[in-house]
Amino acid sequence: GRVGWFRRFGVEDVEFEGRLAARPLDDVWLRASVGSTPSADFRPKIAVAAGGDVRISDGFQATLFSLDTSFQRFPSQDVFTIAPAVTQYIGDGRVWTTVRGIGIVPEGGDLE
């Protein structure tokens, strides 16, 4: 769990979040979170996220595919986010590079 205090332009929000993670298989990691800001001014009133990683090649040069999704209800609008990624480990696993795409769909809007 996490409690965060945020101050922006003289306005304060306190956000609460709970997270869960699981590794059901050797090559699969899953995660989920839920959060709330009871008196939200600029943080999400409600936030729900889920994601996971799958290792598609093993060893020091491992490759992972990740997918994260989230829904956030802000005071001004709802936002849905989807973020696929590929991570490639190199240099005997000591270095990695990640390519991530992020798609955001604001309430009543198109994918940006």
Side-chain angles (χ1 to χ4, degrees):
R2 175 181 72 84
V3 176
W5 173 76
F6 301 89
R7 182 181 171 103
R8 186 178 192 186
F9 305 115
V11 179
E12 298 176 356
D13 275 347
V14 177
E15 183 178 37
F16 301 91
E17 183 181 35
R19 298 178 184 182
L20 292 173
R23 188 174 177 192
L25 302 169
D26 285 344
D27 295 329
V28 176
W29 296 263
L30 301 175
R31 58 192 163 271
S33 66
V34 63
S36 177
T37 307
S39 298
D41 289 304
F42 58 90
R43 298 298 300 169
K45 291 181 182 182
I46 299 170
V48 179
D53 304 307
V54 176
R55 184 171 35 207
I56 54 178
S57 70
D58 213 351
F60 290 120
Q61 309 298 324
T63 304
L64 278 86
F65 175 74
S66 303
L67 182 64
D68 290 296
T69 60
S70 69
F71 169 79
Q72 296 174 309
R73 172 159 285 158
F74 288 93
S76 60
Q77 69 180 1
D78 294 347
V79 177
F80 175 75
T81 304
I82 184 166
V86 175
T87 300
Q88 179 64 56
Y89 287 87
I90 52 180
D92 292 331
R94 293 185 212 141
V95 179
W96 66 91
T97 183
T98 301
V99 176
R100 179 175 297 276
I102 300 174
I104 300 172
V105 183
E107 181 179 20
D110 295 324
L111 183 65
E112 295 180 2

